Amino acid sequence: MQYRDVFAALGRALPGALYVSTCGYVSRDLFNAGDRPGTFYLVGSMGMAAPVATGIALALPGRTVVAIDGDGSFAMNLSGALTAAVAGARLVHVVLDNGRHQSTGGQRTVPVRDPLGLARSLGYRRTLSLDDPTRPLVLDTFPAFVHARVDARDAPVGPRITLTPHQLRDRFAAHAAATTARHD
């Protein structure tokens, strides 16, 4: 399964959600799959997608917020995942698992042997594995954890994100404020 397959499945399941994506190639892939103002790309902040998404979800309790992590980012900040799980927010934490630190040269990650079991032990109320992107994702209990095994990259990564961190922040905040009334 490719990253874009996961992004498409999430878009179908959660069309009005706000998104926070981890650093590196994951954010670049999401940006190049179809940039939208409701996405906040963390440029250079490995391991922080779940904590940032949790803060947004707590600040906007009527909104669903999706944190997209790589397996290396997820393993790097398990305390962030614990915080996300126990916060009780409308959060979906997605881990794209290719077994590699793809953005820094493809080094192998330390594998999490049972990611769904770990997520349940952290306190996520719904855990599921996405292994068929054509099958509908049922995300109706929060916080939720989705593990998606994806193929390691075999093609060049797309262009870099063209917005500055300040532009990303301002655009995301304006979009969230303008659309939150429709989602409450």
Side-chain angles (χ1 to χ4, degrees), residues 32-51:
N32 288 296
D35 178 40
R36 47 192 280 292
T39 302
F40 190 75
Y41 308 101
L42 293 176
V43 180
S45 298
M46 186 173 177
M48 294 306 296

Side-chain angles (χ1 to χ4, degrees), residues 23-42:
C23 63
Y25 288 177
V26 172
S27 279
R28 286 173 67 176
D29 284 339
L30 185 58
F31 177 78
N32 288 296
D35 178 40
R36 47 192 280 292
T39 302
F40 190 75
Y41 308 101
L42 293 176

Side-chain angles (χ1 to χ4, degrees), residues 6 27 50-51 54 86 94 104 109 118 130 156 170:
V6 177
S27 279
T54 301
V86 301
V94 179
T104 61
T109 56
L118 175 59
L130 174 62
D170 295 345

